Amino acid sequence: MMESAMRRIVAGMLWLACGCALAQAPGGVVFEDGNGNGLRDDGEAGIAGVAVSNGRDVVRTDAGGRYVLPMAPGQTIFVVKPAGWRAPAGADGLPAFWRQQPLAQASGLRYGGIPAGELQPQVDFALQKADAADTDLDVLVFADPQPKSRTDIGYYRRDIVEPLVGHVRAALGLSLGDIVDDDLSLYPEVNAVTTSLRVPWLHVAGNHDQDTDARDDADALQTYRRNFGPDTFAWEEARATFVMLDDVIHRPGQKPAYIGGFRDDQFAFLEAWLPSVPKDRLLVVGMHMPLFEQGGRDTFRDVDRERLFGLLREFPHVLVLSAHNHTQQHWFHDASTGWHGAEPLHEYNVGANCGAFWSGVKDDAGIPDSTMADGTPNGYATLQVRAGGGYALAWHPARLRDGDLAFTGAMALHAPKVLRAGAYPAWAVYANVFMGRDDTRVEYRIDGGEWKPMRQTPQPDPRLQVENVRDDLADALRGYDRSPEAEPSAHLWRGALPTDIGVGEHVVEVRAFDAWQGEQRASTRYRLLEAQP
């Protein structure tokens, strides 16, 4: 065994030295694609020091851009795109930083899985030099577009993507899973919509992106990988390093049929790659399932979360991005969830593109309202990465109502229209601050008076409760699917409305101090009227 291992090592060294394609040492070349044709032409030099992986092992290219890497049927081979370079777009518009090895035999999965064929021992990758400007990195963050039909793809296109076309500042885009809602045949059409933004786009898989007929977790993302590449990989920019992780464990025959967690090969990849990651920039970890437990249920394997936290502990600048819940909140991990870093670990659980699954009453353009169960409007997020590990986040509602000062990009207000003058002040204005955190300062004032603090209250948003009642009382369906049942919101504030300030109309102003966007305002009105017993 020892002599055999030594022979393999010597063979690999000879291959690196002479560039010979030995059967014992599959690999390839990472090269600078000067003319952008995706092929290595005469004079196009190899690129040294680029990480290449099969999803478990990580190797680096030599001075000539060559690498040796174990390859097996069904593996996805990829480069970790280095800062200062870009991966050219493939025919599907996505960055061509990966190649899929075929299976030895067809999987028989409903949506096709990975096709069968001969193992390709030589896998080359083209990279092109990118603009080296030392500027902040703008990133679009999508989550759960989750169309179940071509009608829903139309909503995604018109509601989320088309308003951004021609106005995109972002240099990178991320999708945090549930690219579709179980119908994996929709992948090409969804991808065509997303890539119309002409932004390099990275994906992770969600629980609705699985081959549900797969017999085990190892085969559950075959169709996903055929369309989007590796389910776990890394990507480097000058301002940030990104690692995208499949964190959905497929459990056929069990209830629930999935749970949050990671595989051993994913940890092997992280253990091999993370030691090379600079600690002076932001490390962004993207996934679908939140790391925190949801609704008092065991939704993530504790041992996997703690093992990941152990690998991230020494990094001073980490941001976790997750999705899945179709609500929005900020979570700060500490020892209670197994995090033992110097500072709490910030996880931003991003709201959904589809909001509440493209539900609710349609507007004049025929697009469903789709407000999420916590009162957050559907939309998308942005991440701006700054020097030294700093960052700023923002949520962007898909649609705003012109002239509606109570519903802005930052918050939505709800208050009664009329109260009795002199009544006990039991009624309130509510502010749903979409990016609100527990430490967010939210204040209100009446008629330009003194600013007073509002109280954070974990209860359902009254705005959505009104829709629930309207659905209940309607004699006919108001939409294809009704709005979701309102549930307690993590970012709702309450301020009691005074009733002793005179008959007539009164202006209510609310201001919230966003951690990244600064002061945000909204306003509404209510009237006080005289009444007799």
Side-chain angles (χ1 to χ4, degrees):
M1 290 291 292
M2 186 175 296
E3 291 180 359
S4 176
M6 183 60 69
R7 284 197 298 271
R8 287 197 299 271
I9 293 172
V10 170
M13 293 173 65
L14 288 172
W15 187 92
L16 286 172
C18 68
C20 300
L22 302 179
Q24 301 96 318
V29 180
V30 181
F31 63 94
E32 181 178 354
D33 186 13
N35 60 12
N37 67 356
L39 303 174
R40 192 182 187 197
D41 301 312
D42 291 342
E44 292 184 334
I47 307 170
V50 179
V52 188
S53 178
N54 56 15
R56 175 182 287 274
D57 307 291
V58 179
V59 298
R60 295 272 175 178
T61 56
D62 69 4
R66 296 180 293 270
Y67 71 93
V68 172
L69 180 70
M71 298 184 193
Q75 285 185 331
T76 312
I77 313 302
F78 62 93
V79 295
V80 177
K81 186 205 73 69
W85 295 86
R86 64 184 181 89
D92 59 4
L94 295 174
F97 69 100
W98 57 277
R99 300 289 186 276
Q100 181 61 52
Q101 289 286 15
L103 292 173
Q105 60 184 20
S107 64
L109 294 171
R110 175 185 178 188
Y111 290 105
I114 294 170
E118 294 294 324
L119 186 74
Q120 303 299 309
Q122 180 79 11
V123 180
D124 296 344
F125 293 99
L127 294 175
Q128 297 172 317
K129 284 187 176 178
D131 184 1
D134 186 23
T135 58
D136 292 343
L137 175 69
D138 291 309
V139 183
L140 283 168
V141 184
F142 285 9
D144 300 88
Q146 205 163 340
K148 56 188 174 293
S149 64
R150 288 178 175 82
T151 297
D152 288 356
I153 294 175
Y155 298 148
Y156 172 59
R157 173 179 54 81
R158 292 192 292 140
D159 201 29
I160 302 296
V161 174
E162 280 187 350
L164 287 168
V165 173
H167 305 284
V168 177
R169 293 177 46 195
L172 186 65
L174 311 176
S175 283
L176 301 177
D178 283 0
I179 312 304
V180 296
D181 191 6
D182 294 329
D183 184 350
L184 309 189
S185 70
L186 297 176
Y187 277 152
E189 292 171 73
V190 175
N191 181 59
V193 173
T194 306
T195 56
S196 68
L197 291 169
R198 301 189 181 277
V199 174
W201 211 275
L202 310 179
H203 295 77
V204 292
N207 54 293
H208 288 284
D209 294 315
Q210 296 186 330
D211 287 291
T212 55
D213 54 338
R215 290 171 294 181
D216 53 35
D217 184 61
D219 291 330
L221 290 179
Q222 282 197 26
T223 303
Y224 171 88
R225 289 194 287 128
R226 188 184 79 228
N227 285 273
F228 297 107
D231 60 60
T232 293
F233 63 96
W235 179 280
E236 298 175 351
E237 298 287 350
R239 283 282 195 260
T241 303
F242 297 82
V243 57
M244 307 291 277
L245 301 173
D246 164 36
D247 69 339
V248 184
I249 303 297
H250 179 54
R251 307 193 303 180
Q254 299 185 52
K255 291 185 177 181
Y258 62 90
I259 192 171
F262 304 108
R263 307 183 305 268
D264 285 342
D265 61 291
Q266 295 175 284
F267 282 116
F269 168 74
L270 292 173
E271 289 163 357
W273 173 72
L274 280 174
S276 68
V277 175
K279 292 184 171 63
D280 61 348
R281 67 180 68 159
L282 183 65
L283 176 59
V284 179
V285 184
M287 60 191 69
H288 182 69
M289 295 281 289
L291 292 171
F292 55 86
E293 305 289 9
Q294 306 159 55
R297 297 175 291 116
D298 185 14
T299 55
F300 207 98
R301 298 196 303 208
D302 294 351
V303 64
D304 291 353
R305 179 175 55 243
E306 292 173 9
R307 188 174 175 184
L308 175 66
F309 284 173
L311 294 173
L312 299 177
R313 179 177 177 177
E314 299 306 317
F315 287 86
H317 312 291
V318 184
L319 170 65
V320 175
L321 299 174
S322 62
H324 182 65
N325 282 345
H326 296 257
T327 56
Q328 180 159 273
Q329 70 179 109
H330 298 274
W331 189 280
F332 291 86
H333 292 276
D334 55 21
S336 67
T337 51
W339 173 254
H340 299 284
E343 300 291 337
L345 174 63
H346 181 199
E347 177 176 354
Y348 172 34
N349 186 225
V350 184
N353 294 150
C354 73
F357 310 94
W358 302 114
S359 65
V361 176
K362 295 179 181 179
D363 64 9
D364 292 341
I367 300 173
D369 175 78
S370 215
T371 296
M372 290 175 253
D374 66 346
T376 304
N378 77 306
Y380 62 93
T382 53
L383 165 68
Q384 183 181 74
V385 186
R386 300 163 179 169
Y391 61 90
L393 291 162
W395 179 251
H396 303 269
R399 282 157 289 157
L400 295 175
R401 304 177 182 93
D402 290 341
D404 187 352
L405 301 180
F407 181 37
T408 70
M411 72 183 86
L413 306 183
H414 175 86
K417 291 184 176 181
V418 179
L419 293 173
R420 178 175 63 82
Y424 185 81
W427 310 100
V429 58
Y430 289 87
N432 193 325
V433 183
F434 310 135
M435 288 294 282
R437 316 185 317 189
D438 289 348
D439 61 354
T440 300
R441 183 173 132 217
V442 184
E443 300 173 334
Y444 76 123
R445 68 179 179 181
I446 311 297
D447 297 335
E450 177 186 358
W451 288 103
K452 297 180 180 180
M454 298 181 74
R455 175 173 56 85
Q456 190 176 12
T457 177
Q459 68 182 68
D461 186 336
R463 290 175 58 254
L464 185 55
Q465 289 181 311
V466 169
E467 282 299 295
N468 293 160
V469 172
R470 286 173 176 162
D471 283 336
D472 287 345
L473 297 179
D475 293 323
L477 294 175
R478 301 175 67 230
Y480 180 77
D481 281 324
R482 56 183 288 161
S483 293
E485 185 175 0
E487 63 182 45
S489 174
H491 38 79
L492 188 70
W493 277 260
R494 181 186 191 277
L497 290 174
T499 60
D500 59 354
I501 54 174
V503 172
E505 187 173 72
H506 301 279
V507 177
V508 185
E509 295 175 273
V510 175
R511 66 180 183 183
F513 294 86
D514 185 272
W516 303 285
Q517 307 303 321
E519 183 178 337
Q520 305 291 312
R521 292 198 182 193
S523 64
T524 188
R525 297 169 183 266
Y526 73 109
R527 289 184 297 147
L528 292 175
L529 297 180
E530 296 279 7
Q532 298 299 321

